[in-house]
Amino acid sequence: MSSAKHAKERAREAGKERPLPESLSLPRVGADSHAHLDSDQLWPEFESVLERAARAGLSHIGQVFLRHSAYLDRRELMGKPRPGLPELFFLLGIHPCDGLTVTEEEWPAIEEDFRHDDRLRAVGEIGLDFYWKECPRDVQERIFRLQLRIAARLDRPVVIHSRDAFADTLRVLDDEGFAGRPLLWHCFGGDEDAARALLNRGWHISLPGPVTYPANSALRDAVRIIPGDRLLVETDCPYLAPVPWRGRRNEPALCAFTAAAVAEVRGEAADELWARCGDNARRFFGIA
Ligand SMILES: [Zn+2]
């Protein structure tokens, strides 16, 4: 298809009425394993984002902090219980693209926070990103290894970000002895071979909105081979909204569409897959 035709199609998509996630009638047991609710696009509407998530069937949301300062600034407000709304649990890790902004004093402070804040459930997102060029590869690898060792000392699960760096990410993880440890591969976009490489190491896989995009048939083939007890869903909001909200701002409520599409690919009932992915998330992150 020509790019002009693509642009036209996108404009048509942007203007049309879209179904709401509550139209899927999913039970209030789902989990979005990976959200950035403190992003500029979502933070001003924090409470209503949570209300829409509740209506869509979410009971838990994994809030991912990309910086220690972001966690310190928002933990009180985000962590307070809100009856009737989804419960937030926290992930904290320095993203590979931010490897030049972190200071050496922050590492022990982060480790201390993990020891004292029960809401911090996993070290992540950490990994390698060779798509963006802000941070040199050797710096990325250094802070990746450093954080894997923090997670090992704390005995916490890790959540991995890997973009255009699949083989190197595996090399580092194998080298650090992470096969068989609790690990979630966030925003998985690979094919069957890639999925097997992760599953053979005993890891979990989280699927984002792009699994609904027509072009991603190799990813949908991979989705069919993931065991039901190792599968999670996520938004990675505010980006990567699933069809039928593709191209718009993403938020946890839209995770419901991702789950429904995954269920269809796997020939399962949407409400059952939704509940199972929620249970997998609660088990993986150690939430009672
Ligand atoms: Zn993320």
Side-chain angles (χ1 to χ4, degrees), residues 34 36 64 125 186 236:
H34 195 111
H36 299 276
V64 184
E125 55 191 297
H186 130 75
D236 202 15

Side-chain angles (χ1 to χ4, degrees), residues 120-131:
L120 280 170
R121 305 309 307 172
V123 178
E125 55 191 297
I126 58 173
L128 298 173
D129 190 318
F130 297 164
Y131 177 82

Side-chain angles (χ1 to χ4, degrees), residues 34-36 64 66 95 125 161 186-187 234-237 239:
H34 195 111
H36 299 276
V64 184
L66 297 170
H95 190 282
E125 55 191 297
H161 170 101
H186 130 75
C187 210
E234 66 172 68
T235 55
D236 202 15
C237 57
Y239 306 113

Side-chain angles (χ1 to χ4, degrees), residues 197-218:
L198 308 182
L199 295 168
N200 288 343
R201 289 167 170 83
W203 298 337
H204 287 65
I205 293 177
S206 184
L207 296 169
V211 73
T212 65
Y213 300 173
N216 290 338
S217 58

Side-chain angles (χ1 to χ4, degrees), residues 10-11 40 50 55 59 66 70 75 78 80 108 143 159-160 165 168 170 217 222 250 269 281:
R10 248 183 254 126
D40 292 345
L50 293 183
R55 285 202 294 277
S59 69
L66 297 170
R75 62 180 171 184
M78 289 186 126
K80 76 170 194 230
I143 68 156
V159 174
I160 299 299
D168 283 285
L170 287 186
S217 58
N250 200 3

